[in-house]
Amino acid sequence: MAVVQRAGAAPLWWLGVIAAGAGLIPEGLTGRRIGVLVGALLFLLAAAVVPLVGGGRAAALAAEAERAARSDILQARSVTVRNWRRGHRWWLLLAFAAALGSAFALPAAGGMALAGWGTGLWLRARRTGRVEEAREALLWTAAGALGRGAGDPLGARTTRLWTTGTEAGDATPGGGRRR
């Protein structure tokens, strides 16, 4: 579950940083100083709100999680990340274009908001990782519930979660890559 949450964090953060840097080039309608100040506020707001969205549903699903059967097949971390990024590439491109376009009104603000969104997703995955570490079990979402674009691990199609030991699969608690 944390792998899907974390899959979008890096592209959103990097695209946000690039858009914020490029957004400093035009003077914009409000000027660079106001744009950067508004962008910093949007970054903090996004980084604080995104981890909180869906927290109650995640806790409820985690509390009812069942142990995965031996016959259940776990999807590799790399496959999940690749599916998420392929399924959302147009949304990522659209968000990047919107962040760049917003620089003509508020320089760097859109890019900083995008980076805050990515930071929030990373923080959400870390929170899930802390739950996994406390339970000493990884939480898994069925790959079929994620849909074609790897979707949202807490979306309407997800009705339950499964657990495995922390050594199962190639992901660590929090969705990181096992070394």
Side-chain angles (χ1 to χ4, degrees):
M1 184 170 95
V3 171
V4 179
Q5 293 171 341
R6 196 171 174 153
L12 284 170
W13 191 83
W14 278 110
L15 290 174
V17 168
I18 293 168
L24 289 173
I25 295 171
E27 183 67 30
L29 297 176
T30 60
R32 287 186 191 101
R33 182 173 167 222
I34 299 295
V36 170
L37 289 173
V38 169
L41 178 67
L42 291 173
F43 177 89
L44 292 173
L45 187 66
V49 170
V50 168
L52 300 176
V53 174
R57 180 165 165 74
L61 287 172
E64 298 174 2
E66 299 176 12
R67 183 110 177 124
R70 285 188 180 263
S71 61
D72 289 336
I73 298 172
L74 304 177
Q75 184 169 292
R77 180 189 184 283
S78 59
V79 173
T80 302
V81 170
R82 184 181 65 231
N83 287 346
W84 190 95
R85 290 182 181 168
R86 280 185 183 167
H88 292 85
R89 67 179 168 250
W90 294 109
W91 289 111
L92 290 169
L93 183 63
L94 183 63
F96 179 68
L100 279 177
S102 71
F104 292 103
L106 284 166
M112 292 174 84
L114 202 58
W117 188 8
T119 302
L121 286 174
W122 182 79
L123 290 172
R124 182 190 292 178
R126 290 295 304 146
R127 184 180 67 193
T128 302
R130 285 192 297 274
V131 170
E132 290 173 336
E133 287 171 351
R135 293 182 64 169
E136 295 181 6
L138 297 178
L139 295 170
W140 297 86
T141 303
L146 296 175
R148 188 173 145 253
D152 179 10
L154 299 173
R157 294 175 61 175
T158 303
T159 57
R160 62 187 227 192
L161 298 177
W162 288 270
T163 63
T164 61
T166 56
E167 296 300 315
D170 59 347
T172 61
R177 185 179 310 131
R178 188 171 304 282
R179 293 186 190 343

